[in-house]
Amino acid sequence: MNREKLEWCVSVPKVELHAHLNGSVRNSTLFELARVLGDKGVIVFSEVENVIMKDDRTLHEVFKLFDLIHILTTDHSTVTRITKEVIEDFAAENVVYLELRTTPKRNDSIGMSKRSYMDAVMEGLRAVSSVDVDYCPAGLKTNTFNGSTRKKMYVRFLLSIDRRESTEAAMETVKLALEMRDLGVVGIDLSGNPIVGNWSTFLPALKFAKEQGLYITLHCGEVPNQDEIKAMIDFLPHRIGHACCFDEENWRKLKSAKIPVEICLTSNIRTETISSIDIHHFVDLYKAKHPLVLCTDDSGVFSTSLSREYNLASSSFGLGKTEMFRLAEIAINFIFADEGVKADLRATFEEAVKKLN
Ligand code: 6MZ
């Protein structure tokens, strides 16, 4: 790995649009949580340690890991803790705008509702101390301290619908997103194991969300289900994630609809959704000037960071510094925030370009 290039990638301001909260938890935190639950006899620590440390996982195994992570993290105080840590980790990477997505969870046995889960997330955001966080669409709410000169970061939330959920549960998540608009929730994501659930189950909730003015991004084409991919593109979401297993016709449809694609290189390779980086569809989309943005997906689970993703794109596809900077900057066009935020971010990049190179 080229250290100098990686450091340069860290120093470039970046926009992260596809990051799952529970997939971005530090390994050290997972181990700490696993040890506590191991001592209580809830889990067997050594077994959990092996699962967390495993490097390559199929897509199917990744979802088994998420079930385990959720056992470790799903209580209010831990949700608050991981939210704070994940935001601070992205800030340390020079991410200036973060759209963090998470699946609101209900767990009656510990008195957790989808709303109380999200309140715990918001508490984590307000606890961030390494940067000033602007998280309110109207710009009214920040965790800024008077006279502070700290770095500033924008954070917005997407609420995820898990493909295991029913139409009613999906609708509940959309209603929660609408309720929390003033707190920085800007849209809805559809995610979870792509071989589970049917598009028709989620469509009513997604349609309602779109009608209400929420932004929509869909995990699309992680498996080669061409009928679903076609239906998803016809829905005209504001962005899609992955776009790995498209047939030619759907690929043409995607390109003509100009739907921005969130590209997660390491995730696609690790889960073997794409067999090798040299044949990744990034190249085709990039050459076609199709809107795209590099993202991490699950920086904890895949041991990556946004800087590493830029570095990987640079080394795999021969992109120079100018192209990399432009790739980072152009992502501003695809964020789910208003023109004021976009203008502010463009100014940040203009400042940065003077200092870099
Ligand atoms: C589809 C994924 C995913 O929501 O509990 N998730 N869904 N494809 C992927 N590619 C590898 N990576 C993560 O974060 C974890 C949840 O995000 C979704 C899964 O539903 C997973 O349970 P939250 O914070």
Side-chain angles (χ1 to χ4, degrees), residues 81-343:
R81 172 187 174 172
I82 62 171
T83 305
K84 175 180 188 286
E85 289 180 358
V86 166
I87 294 173
E88 289 187 343
D89 287 350
F90 278 111
E93 275 273 297
N94 240 330
V95 168
V96 289
Y97 178 95
L98 166 65
E99 269 169 31
L100 188 58
R101 56 185 78 188
T102 193
T103 320
K105 294 165 186 73
R106 180 175 157 189
N107 184 344
D108 293 338
S109 67
I110 54 163
M112 178 181 278
S113 63
K114 286 188 174 187
R115 173 71 205 217
S116 74
Y117 174 92
M118 280 312 296
D119 287 340
V121 167
M122 295 310 301
E123 204 179 317
L125 173 138
R126 284 190 289 267
V128 169
S129 57
S130 62
V131 283
D132 289 339
V133 184
D134 176 316
Y135 61 93
C136 175
L140 294 173
K141 295 192 180 69
T142 72
N143 69 341
T144 312
F145 299 105
N146 279 347
S148 151
T149 54
R150 293 181 305 178
K151 252 188 353 187
K152 178 173 151 191
M153 177 193 201
Y154 286 97
V155 178
R156 298 292 185 263
F157 291 103
L158 304 175
L159 302 196
S160 301
I161 295 169
D162 187 312
R163 296 183 61 114
R164 286 178 289 199
E165 290 185 289
S166 63
T167 305
E168 293 70 32
M171 196 61 98
E172 193 194 339
T173 296
V174 171
K175 288 186 180 150
L176 179 60
L178 291 169
E179 218 178 281
M180 298 190 74
R181 268 179 153 172
D182 288 349
L183 295 168
V185 174
V186 291
I188 296 289
D189 156 56
L190 176 66
S191 55
N193 192 339
I195 59 169
V196 173
N198 289 311
W199 171 243
S200 58
T201 306
F202 319 112
L203 186 58
L206 292 167
K207 248 185 181 162
F208 176 63
K210 207 176 181 199
E211 280 160 16
Q212 294 296 311
L214 287 167
Y215 290 100
I216 311 287
T217 178
L218 306 172
H219 280 62
C220 179
E222 269 185 298
V223 291
N225 179 345
Q226 300 307 329
D227 290 344
E228 184 181 272
I229 293 171
K230 180 178 181 302
M232 284 183 167
I233 300 297
D234 285 342
F235 177 73
L236 293 178
H238 301 95
R239 293 195 310 253
I240 60 166
H242 298 296
C244 298
C245 307
F246 280 44
D247 68 9
E248 270 180 39
E249 196 190 326
N250 279 327
W251 198 241
R252 264 198 306 274
K253 262 173 102 71
L254 170 70
K255 281 184 169 169
S256 72
K258 295 195 166 53
I259 299 166
V261 181
E262 303 150 1
I263 296 275
C264 309
L265 296 172
T266 301
S267 164
N268 296 160
I269 300 301
R270 288 284 190 93
T271 58
E272 294 161 10
T273 322
I274 300 290
S275 59
S276 147
I277 191 88
D278 356 301
I279 56 156
H280 198 283
H281 47 291
F282 173 95
V283 179
D284 185 358
L285 293 176
Y286 186 78
K287 280 191 183 148
K289 296 194 172 14
H290 187 91
L292 63 86
V293 49
L294 289 180
C295 304
T296 52
D297 203 6
D298 299 294
S299 55
V301 167
F302 299 123
S303 308
T304 187
S305 67
L306 194 52
S307 308
R308 282 173 189 270
E309 294 303 300
Y310 274 83
N311 196 32
L312 179 61
S314 171
S315 58
S316 307
F317 313 127
L319 304 182
K321 285 184 177 173
T322 310
E323 290 154 311
M324 300 296 291
F325 189 88
R326 181 86 190 113
L327 192 60
E329 187 179 24
I330 213 161
I332 298 170
N333 295 340
F334 320 129
I335 67 174
F336 293 164
D338 57 43
E339 287 307 315
V341 176
K342 289 183 180 172

